[in-house]
Amino acid sequence: MPSSETSHTSDTPRTPHTSHTSHTFQVDLRGLVDLLSHHLYSSPRVYLRELLQNATDAITARQARFPDTPATITVRTGDTLTVTDTGIGLSEADVHTFLATIGRSSKRAAEGELEAARGDFIGQFGIGLLACFVVADEITVVSRSAAHPDAPVVEWRGHSDGRYTIRTLPSHEHPEPGTTVRLTPRADGTEWTRPDQVTALARHYGGLLPYGVTVVDPGGGQDRINDTPPWERRHGSPLARRDALAEHCRTTFGFVPLDTIDLDLPAAGLRGVAYVLPTAVSPSERAGHRVHLKGMLLSDRATELLPEWAFFVRCVVDATSLRPTASREALYEDETLAAIRDALGARIRDWLTGLAASDPTLLHRFIDTHHLAVKALARYDDELLRMLLPWLPFETTDGNVTLEEFARAHPTILVTRSVEEFRQVAPIAAAAGLGVVNGGYTYDRDLVHRLPEIRPGTVVTDLDPATVTAHLDSVDPSAELAAAAFLTIAREVIGAYDCDVVLRSFHPVTAPALLLDNREARHERTRAGLAEGSDGLWAEILGSLRAETPRAQLVLNHLNPLVRRAATIAERGLAVTAVEALYGQALLMTRRPLRAAESALLNRAFIGLLTHAMHDQGAAPGQNTPGQNTTPGQGPAPEPRKEQ
């Protein structure tokens, strides 16, 4: 009835009487079904999951009160799909309360009588039956209550437009307690109710349900679709169990695992198994895990179950304490999930550390495959760092070796900041006996710097170009004096690239030049280039960012025949071309991307050398071509070139 309410204060004028009337929301069932099918659920196929879930919860509720009652679910396929369970059933009052009120769940604690069993229920949202409307326009529920044996059989018939009817039926219509849900699919829903599709969906969602689920095809054939979880089955030996789990992994994920890890968290009601991938994967590739909630598949893409570093395993688990989202297709991020994620991470970590003592051969195989994952974990786990860092392979001047092996040969370890820096110095550093580790890969530099914590007495320092230069042999003063003119031209030409030129002797002899550079110097050159090509405010901003950084060094190898020959060139044009060619070759040895100016330099040097060679070929014996250098012992020089 309408109610009225009046209020006023002495400081305000009296207000007229205002009538307040309570109304009830009107629900457009078609709109709600459209919302479920297009926005809440990922696919219409979830209708069968909801039917199996309701049946499972009904059986759980009945067994809570009558433990010795049967527990079966039967799915019959054909033109009409039916799902029959031996659960608690519904009385006529229950039907009015639960089936006729959208959003109310028979598992709600407010109902009281099922409170003790509520923790064993899968569903929590009371909208499961509505999922059937995504494939059918009419749903029929026939039920007989086990809690009220004298209550009649009741039939509820609901339509997708919001209409429903309720009537009572004779006892012989449903002689045993339980519920049968019947639906006839629409034309656009037959894809999901074909016998083969129903069997596949039932096995997909209900393969680990605790009660027997049987699918009966139109011809009467029966298929038991669920079984005991593979980690709970009895086997004749540990090897037989391992083989059975490996086969389960192959059929579930499509690979034979490197190893299996039992996952058992009794406090969280979680059991399962983690399968170690036999091949390396990218850390960014976080494939999902299969998570069952009280036996019902919740998600096969649950990326949030494990820590990010555990990307080398795939899990199948069944839990009781995890909380699903409203669609029951993902995990709800809460404190429980965070605690389980940490606990599972600790379990995988314990397996990993245990390999060092129990199976070193398997540990080597695992590290060879997943060393990046171990490095990611060891970076933040001191105990794992101490145990596994000596086993991890790194790219060094001695090849791909472990740090333990490398540290025995090199008490002082130099670490580069980038892959490019390592490639610049590796051949020369190896010949000079320097121990250099490539720190350019993910996690490597940080881990190498922590080696002294594990191996006291080892010295680790970042590689500086000056360190390499200091280990190169100086050239005899007379030889450097003879090459002074060439070096002057070289410093003038290469100085335009913010690079110094020095002459040294080093091995291997086959390396004519070495470009010693670092990331800071390259950044400064990039900044300077951008500043030169800019104007106005942007140029001022770039100019203010100028930093004092060491110049790069082009180290010419006096032991190399090409350098020794180039150092004797007196004709300026040919000397410039030779210097540019040596610089270009050193650039290519760094294996880093070339800037436009560097590419132009290489092209110019190649054209200059080709022009010189063609002039040399065109000259008759004993004759000089125009502009040819006549200095004794020198080859012909090209004509003076025009600057482009």
Side-chain angles (χ1 to χ4, degrees), residues 167-181:
R167 62 172 182 157
T168 58
L169 302 176
S171 298
H172 68 270
E173 293 282 344
H174 208 290
E176 297 295 331
T179 301
T180 297
V181 180

Side-chain angles (χ1 to χ4, degrees), residues 331-640:
L331 296 173
Y332 186 83
E333 189 68 46
D334 58 9
E335 293 181 357
T336 300
L337 176 58
I340 288 177
R341 180 165 50 235
D342 291 343
L344 291 178
R347 179 65 191 88
I348 295 172
R349 172 188 166 280
D350 291 344
W351 165 83
L352 188 56
T353 56
L355 286 183
S358 64
D359 197 339
T361 301
L362 180 58
L363 178 62
H364 275 295
R365 290 175 57 198
F366 173 79
I367 289 179
D368 287 343
T369 304
H370 298 295
H371 57 271
L372 186 58
V374 180
K375 289 177 180 179
L377 180 57
R379 190 183 180 197
Y380 301 105
D381 191 314
D382 291 344
E383 183 178 345
L384 194 65
L385 176 77
R386 294 180 180 279
M387 183 171 294
L388 296 181
L389 184 58
W391 297 70
L392 295 174
F394 290 81
E395 185 179 3
T396 73
T397 46
D398 291 352
N400 284 325
V401 298
T402 64
L403 285 184
E404 179 68 26
E405 179 182 351
F406 192 68
R408 285 199 296 266
H410 303 280
T412 298
I413 296 178
L414 303 173
V415 189
T416 64
R417 291 180 174 86
S418 68
V419 175
E420 291 81 3
E421 291 174 13
F422 178 79
R423 290 170 177 170
Q424 288 174 28
V425 304
I428 288 81
L434 295 176
V436 182
V437 178
N438 186 352
Y441 294 118
T442 305
Y443 312 123
D444 283 15
R445 182 167 169 264
D446 291 342
L447 289 174
V448 176
H449 272 286
R450 297 192 65 181
L451 182 61
E453 300 176 23
I454 315 301
R455 204 175 193 276
T458 303
V459 178
V460 177
T461 183
D462 286 329
L463 177 69
D464 185 88
T467 305
V468 179
T469 306
H471 283 77
L472 304 181
D473 295 331
S474 299
V475 179
D476 185 85
S478 61
E480 187 158 7
L481 183 62
F486 177 78
L487 291 176
T488 300
I489 295 174
R491 292 185 178 111
E492 178 185 337
V493 173
I494 305 304
Y497 299 95
D498 199 22
C499 182
D500 293 329
V501 179
V502 296
L503 186 65
R504 295 287 188 272
S505 296
F506 56 86
H507 292 276
V509 176
T510 54
L514 168 67
L515 182 61
L516 293 178
D517 202 355
N518 58 41
R519 183 177 302 177
E520 289 77 12
R522 289 197 299 272
H523 286 175
E524 174 58 22
R525 290 198 301 274
T526 301
R527 182 211 59 78
L530 291 173
E532 291 176 3
S534 305
D535 53 15
L537 178 62
W538 184 239
E540 293 180 8
I541 294 174
L542 290 173
S544 68
L545 297 176
R546 178 178 178 82
E548 293 297 330
T549 57
R551 288 160 61 92
Q553 280 190 337
L554 178 66
V555 185
L556 302 179
N557 186 4
H558 189 254
L559 298 179
N560 181 269
L562 174 61
V563 174
R564 295 171 69 106
R565 179 70 182 272
T568 63
I569 298 175
E571 197 275 318
R572 179 177 175 82
L574 181 58
V576 169
T577 299
V579 169
E580 290 180 338
L582 288 169
Y583 181 64
Q585 185 176 12
L587 280 171
L588 293 175
M589 289 178 62
T590 66
R591 302 182 188 179
R592 63 175 173 82
L594 300 181
R595 296 180 296 168
E598 295 168 344
S599 297
L601 176 143
L602 278 171
N603 290 333
R604 187 167 63 247
F606 180 77
I607 293 173
L609 292 173
L610 184 61
T611 301
H612 175 76
M614 292 175 66
H615 277 297
D616 191 21
Q617 273 191 335
Q623 296 181 354
N624 289 333
T625 58
Q628 179 178 334
N629 178 24
T630 57
T631 303
Q634 300 300 316
E639 295 180 359

Side-chain angles (χ1 to χ4, degrees), residues 37 42-49 51 75-78 81 131-136 183-202 204-205:
S37 59
S42 61
S43 166
R45 66 179 185 171
V46 299
Y47 83 94
L48 189 61
R49 182 198 66 190
L51 289 175
V75 182
R76 298 184 181 275
T77 61
L81 178 76
C132 296
F133 282 125
V134 303
V135 296
L183 56 91
T184 301
R186 295 191 305 271
D188 61 351
T190 55
E191 172 188 357
W192 305 105
T193 56
R194 297 194 318 265
D196 59 330
Q197 183 72 278
V198 170
T199 301
L201 291 177
H204 176 72
Y205 285 117

Side-chain angles (χ1 to χ4, degrees), residues 235-243:
H235 300 279
S237 65
L239 180 60
R241 183 178 187 273
R242 181 185 179 119
D243 290 343

